[in-house]
Amino acid sequence: MDLNGDGYLDLLSGSYAAEGLPKMAGLFQVLWGEKGGAFQTAVPLKGVDDKPLAISTVKNGRRDETERICTRPTAVDWDGDGDLDLVVGNFSGTFYLFKGGGKGKFEPKSELLMVKGRALKLHDDEKSDPFFVDWDGDGDLDLLSGSKSGSVVWARNDAGVGQEISLTDFQVILPPSETKESWLDLPKKPSSSTRVWADDLNGDGKIDLIVGDKVTMLRPSKGKTKEEAQELLIAWEKKISQVLDDDKKIEPNSKEGQMNKNKFFEIAREKDQIVEEKTSGFVWIYLRK
C-alpha cells in the first residue's frame, strides 16, 4: 500500500508492545518505499501531532492493556474522502480506527469500531486481524478477520460504494480449530492465530481465501511410541490442570501459594520427557465455489 501517496509501495506492520509509551501499547512500524522497490529502515508510524501512534482507550486496568497490544493494522479509505485510514486489530479482539490526515499521517486519537451501539468484537475470541475486501460482491468493502481460536469471520458493509463503511455483526467463514497441536503428520486445517488475505487466485472472478496459522507440532520423546506419549500427555494435562485449579483456592502470595507455584513449574518441566514440541505455521488456500 502507498501510505504517503508518493507513488511507492510501503510496508506496514503492527507489534506486540513497546517501551517508552505512557501505557503498555504496541507501535505501528512502517518501512517507507523508495524508487526501484527498496525500502527504508522501519520507523514508528506517527500521527499528525508527530508523535508515534498508539491505540487510545478510556478504560483502565488489564483490559485497557489488552486492547493496546498485539496491534494488527491495515489501511483502507474508511470514510470515502480519498485518504487512507487505519483499521487496527489487537489482543482483545476489538477494532480501532485512526482517521487519515494525508501524506502518511493519521489522527492521534483512535476510535473504537461499533455495531448497533456496542463494540465490534470477535465472539468469545481474541487477536483480531482486519482485512478489507468485497467478500459478497456488492461493490463495497467488507471486513474479514482471523483470530486466536483459528476461526475466520466476516462483517458485511451495508453502506454502499464510496460511502463511509458501516459494518454488521460477524458471520463465520471458517469455524474455530478443534486442536492447536498436531502429532507427526501434517494438520488438515488451520490451527490457531489465523491471519487472512483474500484475492482471486485462479482467475475465475471469485474472491478466494488465504489463511496463515500457528500450530504446535508434537513428536514423542526419545524411546517412546506415539501411543505411549499420547497416554502420558493426557495424564500430564490432568496433573497440570489440578495444580491450576488448586491455585484458585489458595491465598495469593501465601506460603502455600508459593509451594503450589513451585509444584506447577516442576510438573511443567515433565512435559519435555514426554514430547518434543516445535511451533510452526502453514498457509492454507480456500478456493471459492
Side-chain angles (χ1 to χ4, degrees):
M1 63 196 73
D2 183 3
L3 278 179
N4 56 4
D6 64 357
Y8 304 120
L9 292 178
D10 310 302
L11 290 177
L12 177 64
S13 175
S15 60
Y16 192 87
E19 296 181 356
L21 295 178
K23 289 184 179 180
M24 184 178 179
L27 291 171
F28 305 100
Q29 304 281 350
V30 61
L31 288 78
W32 298 114
E34 298 180 333
K35 186 177 181 180
F39 295 92
Q40 298 177 18
T41 302
V43 294
L45 190 63
K46 296 183 178 181
V48 293
D49 59 357
D50 211 35
K51 296 180 181 179
L53 286 182
I55 293 174
S56 51
T57 70
V58 295
K59 301 171 184 175
N60 297 312
R62 181 172 176 77
R63 181 166 175 77
D64 179 42
E65 293 182 352
T66 62
E67 296 208 354
R68 293 163 59 89
I69 61 175
C70 197
T71 55
R72 299 187 178 189
T74 190
V76 63
D77 186 1
W78 176 268
D79 49 16
D81 66 355
D83 288 331
L84 286 176
D85 311 294
L86 290 185
V87 172
V88 181
N90 56 27
F91 189 96
S92 183
T94 53
F95 300 82
Y96 282 83
L97 169 69
F98 290 91
K99 288 187 176 178
K103 297 184 179 180
K105 292 192 176 182
F106 302 86
E107 294 298 324
K109 186 174 177 58
S110 60
E111 303 174 23
L112 181 63
L113 293 191
M114 308 288 287
V115 172
K116 300 175 182 177
R118 63 182 185 278
L120 177 66
K121 188 181 187 303
L122 300 178
H123 181 65
D124 294 330
D125 212 342
E126 299 171 337
K127 297 186 178 179
S128 43
D129 175 50
F131 182 86
F132 285 88
V133 69
D134 183 10
W135 185 251
D136 56 5
D138 65 356
D140 57 21
L141 295 176
D142 309 299
L143 171 64
L144 273 62
S145 179
S147 70
K148 180 181 179 181
S149 73
S151 69
V152 176
V153 296
W154 76 289
R156 189 178 68 252
N157 178 11
D158 282 342
V161 181
Q163 303 300 309
E164 181 167 342
I165 293 173
S166 177
L167 298 172
T168 61
D169 289 320
F170 281 119
Q171 303 175 55
V172 176
I173 299 176
L174 295 178
S177 174
E178 298 171 358
T179 179
K180 305 297 182 292
E181 300 173 333
S182 181
W183 284 88
L184 298 176
D185 51 346
L186 296 178
K188 296 178 174 59
K189 57 184 179 180
S191 298
S192 67
S193 297
T194 44
R195 292 202 174 196
V196 296
W197 191 273
D199 204 348
D200 182 4
L201 295 179
N202 56 0
D204 65 355
K206 300 174 183 177
I207 297 296
D208 306 305
L209 189 65
I210 305 118
V211 182
D213 74 345
K214 182 179 78 171
V215 61
T216 300
M217 307 294 290
L218 300 179
R219 180 185 298 274
S221 293
K222 189 175 181 180
K224 294 182 178 63
T225 65
K226 175 182 175 181
E227 290 72 23
E228 289 171 338
Q230 286 178 319
E231 186 176 343
L232 289 169
L233 191 59
I234 291 172
W236 177 86
E237 289 171 345
K238 289 180 179 179
K239 288 171 63 177
I240 206 80
S241 294
Q242 184 61 59
V243 173
L244 292 173
D245 288 341
D246 291 343
D247 192 62
K248 297 175 183 177
K249 307 169 187 175
I250 298 172
E251 185 71 24
N253 302 318
S254 65
K255 182 178 180 181
E256 187 181 3
Q258 185 59 51
M259 290 175 62
N260 199 62
K261 184 180 294 185
N262 293 339
K263 184 178 180 181
F264 171 84
F265 288 123
E266 181 181 338
I267 295 173
R269 286 191 291 269
E270 292 176 5
K271 191 175 184 181
D272 293 337
Q273 305 302 314
I274 302 171
V275 292
E276 298 173 6
E277 293 183 317
K278 181 179 180 181
T279 301
S280 186
F282 298 89
V283 176
W284 305 82
I285 295 175
Y286 292 86
L287 297 178
R288 202 84 169 267
K289 295 181 178 179

